Amino acid sequence: MRVLGIETSCDETAAAVICENRGLMAHQLYSQCALHEEYGGVVPELASRDHVRKLGPLIRQVMDSARLSLATDIDAVAYTAGPGLMGALMVGSGMGRSLAWALGKPAVAVHHMEAHLLAPLLEDVAPGYPYVALLVSGGHTLLVEVRAVAHYTLLGESIDDAVGEAFDKVAQMLGLGYPGGPRIQQLALQGSPDRFVFPRPMTDRPNLDFSFSGLKTHVLNTLRGLQGVDERTRADVARAFEDAVVDTLYIKSARAVRRTGARTLVVAGGVGANRKLRRRLTGKLGAQDVDVIFPAPEYCTDNAAMVAQLGLIRLQNGASEPLQIRVRPRWSLDEI
Ligand code: KG4
Ligand code: ZN
């Protein structure tokens, strides 16, 4: 069985083909990052319009690079139906469902976060169950226990801003542009670890939820309280912010692993690319006899390979969708 996967939940247009026997055959991605840069974040309407422009040609490219024909070689279509931006989801879901109908094949509506959770299975080093996944991106901050496919427990999530969003907003305050994460990481290298110390939000509470809105405001107030902000100060602020975020993610992840008894932590999402976070998690959690896995960058951030894979798994378990197209911008993992 070969499944075409489509992903358009936010600002990445992506398509992929996976084969039951041969694994991933092709995957392609077009990032809208440059389109949103001048606004400092994703503009939903621009995202939808660009998905409309890019998705058709991208599907063609994927089929070409897999040397397959859409008309004869595809057995099903999987698409991300949520959570995400309503208009953006509509583009991929409309295309995916209609394409499946035109081909006379089944369609599967996939949960974006579930696809992230299972992304490590795309690689040879699949984690053993149960594992804990830390999903940290511009749209999500979650800790989830994965006991098996379709057996998930949401351990904690952000009650306000996603952690990547906080990186992006603080980067804007520092005049660094978008996306903020890599730029803060770079500037923080020159920053002092002692000049500012920012709070580690909610680490004094036993739960596994996160909150980054207060930290963001703390940074803003710090900048406002200063007499002029020179290059040195910007680096010191970037350093203090990154340290606070990394520390917070580390504390909650370690707690999640201890609480569930999991032997593996999987870190996914764009913020998982952060070098300090990687060092911190690998060093300390590793000492607790916990394997820390970072999926390859192309499977870690938004992509369609994970969507095609989850579609295949769901089809193997007998799933298929009615003709109706239904997207769910808000869709909790607990509802799976
Ligand atoms: O998963 P992702 O590529 O896309 C979505 O959120 O949809 O994540 C993007 C987020 C952005 O907020 C970006 O600033 C953040 O990941 N990011 C980073 C780093 N690289 C990307 N944050 C911290 N450090 C990084 N090196
Ligand atoms: Zn995502």
Side-chain angles (χ1 to χ4, degrees), residues 112 116 137 140 302:
H112 179 82
H116 270 305
S137 73
H140 356 275
D302 286 354

Side-chain angles (χ1 to χ4, degrees), residues 7 9-10 12 112-113 116 137-140 269-270 300-303 306:
E7 160 64 40
S9 64
C10 189
E12 258 97 29
H112 179 82
M113 303 313 298
H116 270 305
S137 73
H140 356 275
C300 198
T301 55
D302 286 354
N303 68 88
M306 65 181 192

Side-chain angles (χ1 to χ4, degrees), residues 83-307:
L85 302 171
M86 171 64 107
L89 289 167
M90 282 301 294
V91 178
S93 302
M95 171 71 99
R97 188 65 197 88
S98 322
L99 202 52
W101 177 78
L103 297 172
K105 304 292 181 188
V108 193
V110 159
H111 189 291
H112 179 82
M113 303 313 298
E114 184 180 15
H116 270 305
L117 289 181
L118 302 179
L121 307 182
L122 284 162
E123 295 179 272
D124 291 341
V125 277
Y129 299 117
Y131 61 86
V132 168
L134 172 70
L135 299 182
V136 277
S137 73
H140 356 275
T141 310
L142 306 177
L143 272 166
V144 184
E145 182 189 16
V146 182
R147 292 185 305 285
V149 171
H151 290 83
Y152 316 115
T153 304
L154 182 60
L155 302 169
E157 62 186 327
S158 176
I159 59 168
D160 42 55
D161 292 359
V163 60
E165 193 182 348
F167 266 103
D168 295 336
K169 287 181 177 160
V170 168
Q172 235 181 331
M173 294 173 203
L174 295 172
L176 296 175
Y178 175 83
R183 297 172 194 206
I184 287 187
Q185 171 177 281
Q186 195 57 32
L187 186 60
L189 291 173
Q190 286 122 49
S192 148
D194 314 311
R195 178 153 167 223
F196 302 105
V197 177
F198 294 156
R200 275 65 173 150
M202 291 179 74
T203 49
D204 56 345
R205 301 189 203 173
N207 71 25
L208 296 170
D209 286 335
F210 300 93
S211 163
F212 292 103
S213 170
L215 175 59
K216 189 186 65 187
T217 309
H218 194 96
V219 175
L220 185 63
N221 290 338
T222 302
L223 289 169
R224 282 187 179 151
L226 293 165
Q227 309 285 346
V229 179
D230 58 13
E231 191 57 26
R232 177 76 194 268
T233 301
R234 288 177 348 126
D236 293 343
V237 168
R239 170 74 192 251
F241 171 75
E242 187 182 50
D243 284 353
V245 169
V246 167
D247 225 23
T248 304
L249 295 176
Y250 164 74
I251 291 168
K252 296 273 173 167
S253 301
R255 210 174 274 172
V257 165
R258 237 178 285 128
R259 207 166 283 176
T260 55
R263 305 294 294 272
T264 307
L265 174 75
V266 171
V267 185
V271 180
N274 184 274
R275 283 197 286 269
K276 191 173 284 171
L277 178 67
R278 286 181 167 235
R279 266 203 310 276
R280 186 82 199 275
L281 289 174
T282 314
K284 298 279 175 43
L285 284 176
Q288 277 188 39
D289 205 16
V290 174
D291 286 330
V292 183
I293 296 181
F294 298 92
E298 72 253 50
Y299 306 138
C300 198
T301 55
D302 286 354
N303 68 88
M306 65 181 192
V307 174

